[in-house]
Amino acid sequence: MCGGRILPEREMEEEGPQIKGVTTDSRSVEAGQLFVPLSGDNFDGHDYVESAFAKGAAASLWQEDRPVPPSLTGHALIAVEDTLGALQRLASAYRDELGVKVIGITGSNGKTTTKDMVAAALGAELKVHKTAGNLNNHIGLPLTVLRMEESAQAAVLEMGMSGFGEIMLLSRIAKPDVGIITNIGDAHLLQLGSRANIAKAKLEITAGLKPGGLLLYNGDEPLLAEQLKTAPLPEGVRLQTFGGGESCDWRAADTELRLDSSSFVVERSARMEMEANASIPLGGTAAVEVKTPVDGNQEQQRVTIPVPGRHNINNALAAIAAAFAFGVPAAAAARGMAVMQLTGMRIQPVKAFNGATVLNDAYNANPTAVRAAIDLVEQLGGFRRKWVVLGDMLELGPQEAELHREIGAYVTPAKADAVLACGELGRHIAAGAEQSLGESGEVRHFADKDALAQWLRGLLDPADLVLVKGSRGMRMEQIVHALEQ
């Protein structure tokens, strides 16, 4: 399965040891697992193979360009040209052995939230396996696949990237039946140079898409529609859109936004209504038993999700559409999404020390995501004062100063009352906010997160709302914790 050979060369036993899992971390080896030693700039996993065997590993991969030390004589080693490539081939082969339906998800923002939503929607009817946390790269995705139980009926796999070719690799490993592109933002401008290139890189998800599969993409993003005109697609792939535009196949109506939830009615285009009346689950003969999708004569389905924001309604529409593709009734999908658990620090409401509301959205940030969070602040009413606390957005390339200034300028008096920025690039956020808020708002820049938190504590009212957001490297959750204590 991974293209290796046994060391030393010998006949295989008819009844060899059973492999009960795969790990790349020698610290967490469990009995019966296959250990895969990976190498990086500052470490070599081969140094820990002996430790892995001591903890009960049944076998280990071994890269052929390394001599085998005498201490490993008698242990089951599998020689491969490259251990990382072997891990990826192993995951691809395992995926092929299973009757599982795969949903691959990529996009500049909302990948993890959409993954949680799709898993919840499908989980109402099917046994679902999903990416843990954000294990979405060339190592994390193969490990996620290899941790899947053979009884899984659907797998929801997140696919991240920083440059060209990465999504293509992950898609060819996962071979999704459904691909989802949440949006095209400004993340990875440093590596890719333009939003058009980002769109092109995200569309690499079609590289492994099954023939006759489905690509769901954000219909409000013209760059995707433009790139799809010339993108090579597998035979028979269907295209569907979701979003706020009237031309989208999946839309939301009668929306209600609250601090801790969003509610909406699912609307489908006439084309989707026709498919509903004559729908065949993806792949023709599905590997799992599925129910007939909801037909066009049924009442429209209202969905409530435990997360605020119009952008999250778009993510939920993608989840509903994916569930529909597998024959999961809209009512069942809505039940699953109503009680879903989302990965932390993504618009997570918490209480400050005095009862003020803090939105902890500190997991990551780029201009598109920050604008969506600011829009959410504008949409929420009933607060005395609204504070927007922003940190640096990293990896934006030569345009970083202007992009930060534009974010500050995006905060108008209608959206928030104050902007507090921190970090070196935060100076540009403050400069932009001073122009847009003028004398009607409070704008300050802090070089230090602790100083910002202490200053804000002195002015915070129990009836206030605070949004905290910044790139992962800024660790903006420290401000949240300081406000909670």
Side-chain angles (χ1 to χ4, degrees), residues 414-425:
K415 292 181 170 67
D417 302 291
V419 172
L420 306 182
C422 69
E424 187 61 34
L425 292 168

Side-chain angles (χ1 to χ4, degrees), residues 304-338:
T304 300
I305 53 176
V307 60
R310 295 188 189 279
H311 59 296
N312 280 314
I313 290 178
N314 275 355
N315 296 334
L317 286 170
I320 293 288
F324 177 85
F326 290 129
V328 175
R335 286 197 304 273
M337 294 171 69

Side-chain angles (χ1 to χ4, degrees), residues 18-43:
Q18 292 292 311
I19 301 297
K20 299 178 180 178
V22 179
T23 184
T24 60
D25 188 348
S26 64
R27 298 166 298 182
S28 60
V29 171
E30 297 179 6
Q33 285 188 320
L34 170 71
F35 178 61
V36 179
L38 301 178
S39 301
D41 294 335
N42 301 310
F43 68 93

